[in-house]
Amino acid sequence: MRILSFQIRNGLGQFGMGHRNFTHSFDAFGKLSSWKFPGNGSAFFSTKFIQSDFYKASVSANDIEPWLMFESVTPPFDEIQKLHALIRGIDNMNVNIAKLNSDGGATFVALNDFWKIYEIDPYSLSTTRSLTANVPQGGKTGSVTFLNFLSSAHPLPEYGTGNHITFLSSVSLIPGIKSKITTVRIRTADKREEIAHWEVDRVPYMHSFSVTQNYVIFFASPFYVNVMKMIRYAEPFNCLDWNKNEVTTVYVVEIKTGKVYTMKTENMFTMHHINAFESGKREITVDVSSYPSPQFVKDLQMKILLDPIERNNFDAHALLKRYHIDIDRKEVTAVSFPVSKTVPFANKLDMPTINENYRYQNYCYIYGVVLKSDDTNLSHISLVKKDICNASGDKSWFIKHHYPVEAWFVGAPSAKEEDDGYLLVPILDGKNKTSYLSIIDTKTMKTVNRAELPTIVPFNLHGRFFEDVV
Ligand SMILES: [Fe+2]
């Protein structure tokens, strides 16, 4: 069969094993799903668990084996198991998919917010190998000085090249030696090089960042790794300290020179940068889905999600924010977008997607997911098209008891305008207890086609669409 294009998605496949369950939804075993499009109006679905060491050992034991995870398990690990988990580190790459350059063509990888990745076969969804690239400067991840494990599940393409950009956070284990953040160019999955590095007193948790033609922009919210807690509890999320009275540090890295500019902005937290572009000679505009704190991530614990009262009580709303950065003045100015009358909840989107042809450019449309869009039920989930050039252009999609996840924008073959295209969105039909892939016209936000499945696709986090793959 000749495959013209396909979408691969990564996400939360299974929430327990044997008698033990994960306490936080983000720890579910990673499972891949793909929709292949041969170009004749049909779609073919496949799904497979990522065969990580963690998953394979857990299946074999019919129990969740001790590896490091976002939160913990119930019943809990004993002290010996916690030590094992700390030594083994994180192995569950259940967040995103990326296509990286390789010497022989392309490498498809499954990622989480960590330096380690798993290589996958995009056709069979088999797990090919685990990969822990040498850190730039010739270092190793298992250094006695630094814990080199935090990175991003959202590498971004470097403008005008086949490379990607990511970062590596190195947490110092030796008092008196500072931690550091390195901006990294991914030439191939195995070959990384340093663009810049700088020292920090504390390492912030960062899930994503922005790239423009000439700059990489990081928002380091005051949400810092606490090394002592990490060693004591071996639960990364509970080992991060949120400082609600501290400002956010913004790092702007000039790609060509490696020069790093440091500035400050308001206290905020973001999981997802949306897009960034250079709006003046030394000025940058960055759009993000922001939150007043990381509390909503904590609230995605299983005990809260499974309780209809508790889950409806937490604040699940992001706020779309634009930050203007003046590099020479070292000023960062935050602005909000007008709220539209037609879709008053459109600015509350997260899990953003854009027309990737407009990355690095001034653009108009952001597509995203709004949980609790009726302000009452967490499971009242709308998809929105946010028109940041004109709020009256906001549109939304909603079907009762249908639960969409992150969409991916695919341009129409003869697209002339930014919003000439379609959203590809896996949706769970709660009434029929089956999933389908929805194809939504982004001009109108109306469903134009559906690929029905006889089964449920577990909750996806992120995915990517790959064109012209034969
Ligand atoms: Fe993400």
Side-chain angles (χ1 to χ4, degrees):
M1 182 175 62
R2 186 172 183 267
I3 300 297
L4 283 177
S5 56
F6 55 79
Q7 175 174 234
I8 307 177
R9 301 189 55 87
N10 198 348
L12 312 174
Q14 187 173 317
F15 297 87
M17 187 76 76
H19 73 297
R20 212 181 295 270
N21 292 307
F22 296 111
T23 61
H24 198 285
S25 58
F26 283 9
D27 284 319
F29 291 111
K31 194 174 190 186
L32 305 172
S33 302
S34 77
W35 285 262
K36 299 188 182 77
F37 307 99
N40 61 1
S42 58
F44 294 85
F45 177 74
S46 306
T47 188
K48 211 171 258 182
F49 278 97
I50 298 171
Q51 298 295 308
S52 61
D53 295 336
F54 175 45
Y55 179 73
K56 286 191 292 187
S58 298
V59 169
S60 171
N62 192 31
D63 191 0
I64 297 174
E65 286 288 281
W67 257 268
L68 205 57
M69 55 193 73
F70 191 67
E71 205 181 68
S72 60
V73 287
T74 177
F77 291 143
D78 61 31
E79 293 303 312
I80 301 289
Q81 288 172 312
K82 280 187 185 172
L83 188 62
H84 266 145
L86 200 58
I87 293 166
R88 285 167 161 167
I90 294 258
D91 192 52
N92 189 15
M93 304 304 150
N94 61 358
V95 177
N96 203 357
I97 296 293
K99 181 185 173 187
L100 305 176
N101 261 355
S102 76
D103 292 332
T107 305
F108 291 77
V109 296
L111 314 105
N112 198 335
D113 283 335
F114 306 105
W115 190 245
K116 180 176 183 175
I117 52 183
Y118 271 96
E119 189 178 315
I120 58 159
D121 179 318
Y123 302 98
S124 66
L125 299 184
S126 301
T127 305
T128 315
R129 62 169 174 148
S130 72
L131 207 165
T132 306
N134 282 344
V135 303
Q137 308 130 359
K140 300 282 181 192
T141 52
S143 146
V144 290
T145 310
F146 296 106
L147 214 50
N148 290 306
F149 75 109
L150 280 171
S151 185
S152 174
H154 292 273
L156 284 170
E158 181 181 12
Y159 179 80
T161 74
N163 305 322
H164 281 74
I165 289 176
T166 191
F167 69 86
L168 172 67
S169 294
S170 306
V171 182
S172 171
L173 297 173
I174 311 279
I177 294 182
K178 286 201 172 194
S179 297
K180 61 183 175 180
I181 300 171
T182 308
T183 306
V184 176
R185 175 180 289 113
I186 305 175
R187 286 206 179 271
T188 68
D190 298 273
K191 196 172 162 196
R192 318 285 179 105
E193 61 190 34
E194 176 181 315
I195 294 172
H197 81 265
W198 60 98
E199 291 184 338
V200 290
D201 292 330
R202 292 164 295 177
V203 167
Y205 169 71
M206 298 186 289
H207 180 64
S208 66
F209 55 93
S210 284
V211 174
T212 68
Q213 293 179 11
N214 295 294
Y215 300 97
V216 188
I217 305 102
F218 299 94
F219 277 47
S221 297
F223 192 35
Y224 296 114
V225 177
N226 181 324
V227 177
M228 294 317 292
K229 277 192 193 170
M230 186 75 185
I231 292 166
R232 173 68 189 86
Y233 300 109
E235 292 177 12
F237 192 72
N238 291 326
C239 303
L240 292 164
D241 293 333
W242 171 247
N243 300 311
K244 66 179 181 186
N245 297 318
E246 288 188 23
V247 293
T248 296
T249 307
V250 176
Y251 300 106
V252 177
V253 178
E254 192 168 28
I255 297 171
K256 274 200 193 92
T257 61
K259 193 162 173 22
V260 182
Y261 302 88
T262 305
M263 45 205 102
K264 306 284 183 194
T265 189
E266 61 189 1
N267 176 279
M268 54 80 83
F269 178 72
T270 179
M271 287 295 275
H272 295 117
H273 286 230
I274 299 166
N275 196 9
F277 55 92
E278 291 167 31
S279 37
K281 195 160 185 298
R282 302 264 289 166
E283 291 172 30
I284 301 169
T285 299
V286 178
D287 294 336
V288 306
S289 290
S290 77
Y291 291 87
S293 83
Q295 182 59 38
F296 78 99
V297 182
K298 178 80 180 165
D299 288 337
L300 295 169
Q301 286 178 325
M302 295 306 293
K303 69 176 181 194
I304 294 178
L305 291 177
L306 293 172
D307 182 322
I309 295 172
E310 281 213 53
R311 72 176 174 232
N312 291 338
N313 276 342
F314 79 82
D315 184 2
H317 289 151
L319 178 61
L320 180 59
K321 278 267 186 90
R322 170 161 282 186
Y323 292 87
H324 293 292
I325 299 171
D326 185 320
I327 296 171
D328 291 330
R329 289 172 185 267
K330 291 198 168 182
E331 280 177 6
V332 183
T333 315
V335 290
S336 299
F337 291 96
V339 175
S340 72
K341 290 197 178 85
T342 44
V343 190
F345 50 83
N347 292 11
K348 297 175 179 176
L349 69 85
D350 201 341
M351 307 305 270
T353 182
I354 61 167
N355 181 339
E356 286 291 325
N357 290 332
Y358 286 74
R359 185 167 291 285
Y360 323 111
Q361 294 185 43
N362 198 348
Y363 69 119
C364 284
Y365 302 111
I366 303 165
Y367 310 91
V369 179
V370 179
L371 302 174
K372 204 177 175 178
S373 57
D374 64 348
D375 271 337
T376 304
N377 297 294
L378 183 72
S379 58
H380 194 280
I381 305 173
S382 296
L383 294 169
V384 296
K385 173 189 185 183
K386 177 66 197 171
D387 184 341
I388 51 175
C389 299
N390 176 6
S392 66
D394 291 359
K395 289 188 165 51
S396 67
W397 174 103
F398 173 78
I399 299 177
K400 200 172 181 187
H401 304 308
H402 285 217
Y403 308 107
V405 294
E406 178 206 56
W408 188 255
F409 178 91
V410 179
S414 55
K416 291 192 177 60
E417 295 179 298
E418 185 187 333
D419 59 345
D420 277 342
Y422 302 92
L423 294 180
L424 265 51
V425 198
I427 296 176
L428 172 64
D429 176 341
K431 278 256 165 76
N432 284 332
K433 295 188 168 51
T434 54
S435 295
Y436 64 94
L437 184 74
S438 185
I439 298 171
I440 296 172
D441 184 330
T442 42
K443 283 278 184 196
T444 62
M445 288 300 280
K446 302 271 186 240
T447 306
V448 293
N449 209 345
R450 292 159 59 138
E452 305 279 354
L453 285 164
T455 186
I456 285 171
V457 180
F459 191 88
N460 294 177
L461 291 170
H462 297 294
R464 293 289 179 267
F465 181 81
F466 305 103
E467 294 181 75
D468 302 324
V469 183
V470 179

